[in-house]
Amino acid sequence: DLDIPPFGGTSRTRSKFSPKAGFSLYPAAGTLIRLAYFETLRKSSFEDTLILDRTLVGGLNQRFTDLAGAEARNYGAGIDQKLFNSTYLGAEWLHRHVIESYSDIASAIDIDYDDLSLSSDTERFELINDHQDRESVRGYLYQVLTDNLVMSLEHEWSYFTHTAPDNVDYNRMSLHRSTLGARYYCPSGFFAEV
C-alpha cells in the first residue's frame, strides 16, 4: 500500500563493502600520475547532508549524483604537469559501471463532474535494475597570472551506454562541456570566481 505519491509506504535497506585504493606517483619534477579504484553505494539525499567519506580517491572524484542506492565500480587515471612556474596542464579518465535500481510509480486522478467526486489510484511497477557504463575524459589548463589571479580552461567529454537497453528510452548519450574561468584569491582566505 502506498502513502502519498510519489513516496512509497515501504522502505529498502542496502549495505555493501566498498573497497577504495588510490596511488599518486611522482616520476619526475613537476609530474604527478594518479591512479584509483573504488566502489560506491550512493546514500539517500537526506543522508548526504553529513559526509564522512573523502571526496577524492587517488585524486579522482568519488562523489556523483547517482540515484539513491546506486552501486558503482569505478577506476581511472590522471596525469598532471607543472610547466614553468605558473602553468599547470592535466588530463584524467574515469570509467564507471553503475547499477541504479528504481521502480516507476504511476498516479491517476479521476474527477466525476456529474456527482462532483474525486478518486485517485496509484500503481507501482516492478523494480528495474538499470546497468550503465560511463566514460569520462577531462582536460585542463590553469595559468597563474598573479599571486591572486588564476585563469582556467577545461573541457570534459562524457559517454553513457546502457548495458540493459530494454529498460530505457535511450541507449547512448555523449556530452561535451567546456569552461573558461577566472578566480581571484583574497589574502584573507576568500575567493571570487567567474
Side-chain angles (χ1 to χ4, degrees), residues 85-88 142-151:
N85 285 333
S86 58
T87 304
Y88 298 84
Y142 299 143
Q143 180 63 50
V144 178
L145 300 175
T146 69
D147 288 345
N148 303 90
L149 186 61
V150 176
M151 297 290 294

Side-chain angles (χ1 to χ4, degrees), residues 63-136:
R63 306 280 299 163
F64 298 95
T65 55
D66 302 324
L67 293 178
E71 297 180 42
R73 180 173 289 131
N74 313 275
Y75 51 88
I79 185 165
D80 305 293
Q81 181 65 50
K82 179 179 180 182
L83 305 172
F84 314 110
N85 285 333
S86 58
T87 304
Y88 298 84
L89 172 68
E92 68 182 34
W93 162 79
L94 181 67
H95 171 81
R96 305 184 70 224
H97 179 76
V98 181
I99 303 171
E100 292 182 333
S101 300
Y102 61 90
S103 57
D104 289 335
I105 298 176
S107 298
I109 299 173
D110 296 321
I111 302 172
D112 187 343
Y113 290 103
D114 293 333
D115 63 2
L116 297 174
S117 64
L118 178 70
S119 64
S120 66
D121 183 37
T122 304
E123 181 181 0
R124 181 193 300 252
F125 299 99
E126 68 183 72
L127 185 67
I128 297 170
N129 286 321
D130 183 18
H131 293 253
Q132 305 167 21
D133 282 329
R134 301 178 182 178
E135 304 290 335
S136 176

Side-chain angles (χ1 to χ4, degrees), residues 129-174:
N129 286 321
D130 183 18
H131 293 253
Q132 305 167 21
D133 282 329
R134 301 178 182 178
E135 304 290 335
S136 176
V137 178
R138 183 180 79 90
Y140 72 87
L141 174 65
Y142 299 143
Q143 180 63 50
V144 178
L145 300 175
T146 69
D147 288 345
N148 303 90
L149 186 61
V150 176
M151 297 290 294
S152 64
L153 174 64
E154 297 184 34
H155 182 78
E156 183 174 4
W157 170 77
S158 300
Y159 184 74
F160 303 86
T161 305
H162 288 272
T163 56
D166 297 338
N167 296 339
V168 293
D169 295 333
Y170 61 93
N171 290 332
R172 286 179 235 141
M173 180 173 44
S174 180

